[in-house]
Amino acid sequence: FRIGLSDLHRLRRPIRAEEEAPHRSWKPGEGHIGIAFQMRREIVAGDTSEPEARALFDAPEPNRHEDDRERYRSIASLPIRLAGEEPLGILVATSDVPDRFHLRDRDEETARDPVEPLRILANALALVIKTTDLYKQPAGRPDHDPANS
């Protein structure tokens, strides 16, 4: 597959039967995925049913599904990018269990950070994408060389 910057697509589903179903598409700035992409930062919510998190995680139409609030109780959206570069995409991890993903408090006694493995994966994905032919600069970008398309 090729990665472009106009839309963000979900590429893996938790249930094998759903993998062939249509995927949702997010524009930069739209929903938690598009916001993480546009702001170039991770967005993590331990419980998306909390009012302050709900605004970010309620999907706009037509991406809203009836069972979203039950299926996606804890969400982590992390930019796939190399340091100082624009995001190539967003790595999204979801759970129907509240607090599966949360930002670790500095005062938290445990050293386990449930988001750190996702950060490592997002960085590794960025490196693989940038060093292989999976990434194609879109036309119109200053660093785009049409001769290499």
Side-chain angles (χ1 to χ4, degrees):
F1 64 89
R2 292 246 183 233
I3 296 176
L5 298 177
S6 60
D7 286 324
L8 309 170
H9 299 276
R10 185 168 180 210
L11 299 175
R12 175 72 172 102
R13 299 269 171 89
I15 301 170
R16 175 76 71 194
E18 291 182 356
E19 287 185 14
E20 297 302 318
H23 296 284
R24 300 183 208 192
S25 179
W26 307 92
K27 296 188 182 325
E30 180 180 82
H32 64 95
I33 296 169
I35 292 169
F37 184 86
Q38 187 174 51
M39 295 181 72
R40 299 174 53 181
R41 69 175 185 88
E42 63 187 47
I43 296 178
V44 180
D47 189 349
T48 59
S49 69
E50 294 178 3
E52 60 273 7
R54 189 172 298 146
L56 282 175
F57 294 96
D58 271 348
E61 293 291 343
N63 284 333
R64 184 177 303 140
H65 293 170
E66 188 174 308
D67 61 346
D68 281 353
R69 288 191 179 174
E70 291 81 41
R71 290 182 74 176
Y72 307 115
R73 290 293 305 274
S74 185
I75 298 177
S77 299
L78 296 93
I80 299 169
R81 68 183 181 110
L82 298 175
E85 293 192 10
E86 293 296 316
L88 302 170
I90 299 293
L91 172 67
V92 178
T94 65
S95 177
D96 60 354
V97 177
D99 291 320
R100 174 74 45 102
F101 306 108
H102 64 276
L103 296 175
R104 187 181 69 186
D105 292 331
R106 292 181 187 189
D107 299 333
E108 206 171 317
E109 290 183 23
T110 179
R112 184 172 167 256
D113 181 348
V115 180
E116 186 60 23
L118 300 173
R119 289 184 192 109
I120 293 167
L121 179 57
N123 289 334
L125 286 169
L127 186 60
V128 168
I129 291 167
K130 289 292 279 196
T131 59
T132 65
D133 66 350
L134 291 177
Y135 183 74
K136 179 183 177 189
Q137 290 288 340
R141 295 258 323 246
D143 52 352
H144 176 69
D145 181 2
N148 293 326
S149 296

